[in-house]
Amino acid sequence: MIKIFAALIVVTAQLLDFEKNLVFFTSGDAFRVASNARIAGPAPAARRYVRATFDDAGRVVELDVSLKKFPAQGDLADVHRFAVAMSAPVPNPDLAPKTGAACAHARAGRFVTVSISVQVPPATPLTDTVYMTSDQSGWNAQAYRMDRIDPQHYRTQVRLQSGTQMQVLFDRGSLQSVEAAPNGIEEKPHLLCVGDEDAQAFTRTVYHWIDENSGGLQTVPQALPTPYNAVPFPNLPTPHPALH
């Protein structure tokens, strides 16, 4: 009797992160790495290029790392079925019940790696840096710096506890350059709800920046409250509707 072994799948990609038993590609997918996997070349790190070999169980068994791009090989679509399960998309906030319990189903107590991706407008200056700000950082405009993937796409990764609910917006370093809605006016914060999967993807599109034209510039707040200006921060984002 002849035993037939499944052929290994080999693909080339670019690394977003490598952490213990998981490897993240810039496609946003995460894959499990076998405990005895062979890793060759420089240490795996963000933006380095890899040639990954998958076994028939969907685990990475070989990872060749390079500072230069490998010749194209394979197709990531062939291994997409092996990706670590991602959380379900967050429902449309306009349709979701406004209970503030969007993450109630998640089991708290574990850390989840969240891959955050954003597509920015074509007119975004190439010299600018894109950040993510959140209510948990006090709307610090430079709380989470994002890595440029190409002229219109940025990504970053954060580790958050399951059950976390964050309101987030994207900006270019200040609240005077925060994202705007498709109609060019204030964008309501996006709700990032962390489930209890091993990894989760969060993808958004920025349609405009509030400072694209002079009419969209926000008022620069005063440093401290005064009797004449009791609310010196008039431009803080309006809370997400689901948390009302």
Side-chain angles (χ1 to χ4, degrees):
M1 180 176 179
I2 299 176
K3 186 175 182 179
I4 300 176
F5 293 91
L8 298 177
I9 301 175
V10 180
V11 298
T12 52
Q14 189 174 18
L15 274 180
L16 185 61
D17 195 17
F18 180 85
E19 184 176 326
K20 295 182 179 178
N21 66 333
L22 290 174
V23 61
F24 297 82
F25 294 158
T26 54
S27 63
D29 296 318
F31 300 94
R32 298 191 185 281
V33 179
S35 58
N36 60 343
R38 182 188 71 84
I39 301 177
R47 299 188 180 183
R48 292 184 175 175
Y49 298 95
V50 294
R51 181 169 52 223
T53 302
F54 293 78
D55 63 13
D56 56 359
R59 298 171 303 178
V60 175
V61 293
E62 292 187 21
L63 197 65
D64 296 311
V65 185
S66 174
L67 302 179
K68 296 182 179 180
K69 193 172 184 178
F70 285 104
Q73 185 174 359
D75 187 341
L76 285 174
D78 294 336
V79 296
H80 186 73
R81 66 186 186 278
F82 298 138
V84 174
M86 301 295 183
S87 66
V90 176
N92 184 330
D94 295 328
L95 302 177
K98 296 177 174 56
T99 62
C103 298
H105 66 283
R107 294 169 295 176
R110 65 179 304 180
F111 280 96
V112 178
T113 300
V114 183
S115 176
I116 299 170
S117 305
V118 62
Q119 177 177 316
V120 300
T124 303
L126 292 175
T127 56
D128 284 7
T129 302
V130 173
Y131 299 86
M132 184 179 76
T133 180
S134 77
D135 58 338
Q136 293 197 3
S137 68
W139 298 112
N140 175 0
Q142 299 185 18
Y144 302 93
R145 180 179 177 133
M146 306 193 73
D147 295 321
R148 183 193 296 274
I149 303 303
D150 60 43
Q152 281 190 257
H153 295 87
Y154 290 77
R155 286 199 178 97
T156 191
Q157 283 190 337
V158 294
R159 284 178 61 78
L160 300 169
Q161 283 198 328
S162 55
T164 297
Q165 293 184 86
M166 290 175 63
Q167 300 179 74
V168 304
L169 285 168
F170 300 95
D171 63 79
R172 301 190 339 274
S174 73
L175 291 182
Q176 282 68 54
S177 61
V178 74
E179 65 175 298
N183 58 7
I185 63 175
E186 178 191 8
E187 176 70 284
K188 289 183 172 59
H190 313 290
L191 179 61
L192 169 55
C193 178
V194 183
D196 49 18
E197 298 82 3
D198 291 332
Q200 180 173 331
F202 182 79
T203 303
R204 289 295 182 271
T205 298
V206 171
Y207 297 97
H208 299 286
W209 300 112
I210 202 71
D211 62 350
E212 280 184 5
N213 56 71
S214 58
L217 288 174
Q218 294 184 335
T219 304
V220 177
Q222 301 296 322
L224 294 171
T226 70
Y228 305 101
N229 185 19
V231 185
F233 303 102
N235 298 318
L236 291 181
T238 303
H240 190 283
L243 298 181
H244 286 173

